[in-house]
Amino acid sequence: MDTIPKQFTDFGKNYPEVMKAYEELGSSVHNAGPLDNKTRSLIKLSLAIGGRLEGAVHAHVRKALTAGCNAEEIRQTVLLALPTLGMPAMMMAMTWVDDILGNQ
């Protein structure tokens, strides 16, 4: 499994107050409603896919695994992008997901 990108950890070291505020915002929005952690993780992955954000897809696959999602659930999340985003975008996202999942 990939590790946290150096750029992200360096950002936290260089701008600790900004990172603290970012993490607090994330915690606040995660706790603002009734969704469980697995559901939130898959929604965040979906948003990253829709935004075509490779690094965010990588990060949210790792977070989904940590939240207890399995490879099949993660890949179904990618498949759900097909009718909305189209085949090329879905295939691009599947490639990014497989960067993390490999042959799982």
Side-chain angles (χ1 to χ4, degrees):
M1 188 179 320
D2 284 353
T3 59
I4 297 172
K6 183 179 182 316
Q7 296 86 347
F8 187 80
T9 56
D10 285 351
F11 180 84
K13 290 175 189 170
N14 293 329
Y15 303 97
E17 291 299 316
V18 175
M19 182 60 83
K20 180 181 177 201
Y22 173 74
E23 290 173 347
E24 288 173 355
L25 175 62
S27 179
S28 293
V29 299
H30 274 265
N31 295 315
L35 297 175
D36 63 62
N37 197 33
K38 276 181 71 171
T39 302
R40 290 191 313 262
S41 294
L42 294 174
I43 290 169
K44 298 280 294 251
L45 174 59
S46 297
L47 292 166
I49 291 167
R52 299 180 184 196
L53 305 168
E54 181 178 6
V57 169
H58 288 162
H60 287 294
V61 169
R62 288 191 297 270
K63 289 178 181 184
L65 290 168
T66 299
C69 297
N70 62 42
E72 186 178 6
E73 292 167 322
I74 292 168
R75 287 197 174 97
Q76 183 182 11
T77 301
V78 177
L79 289 173
L80 290 168
L82 179 58
T84 303
L85 301 177
M87 180 65 88
M90 186 276 301
M91 292 299 293
M92 175 181 59
M94 191 66 80
T95 299
W96 295 340
V97 165
D98 286 341
D99 288 345
I100 305 301
L101 294 181
N103 292 325
Q104 287 188 47

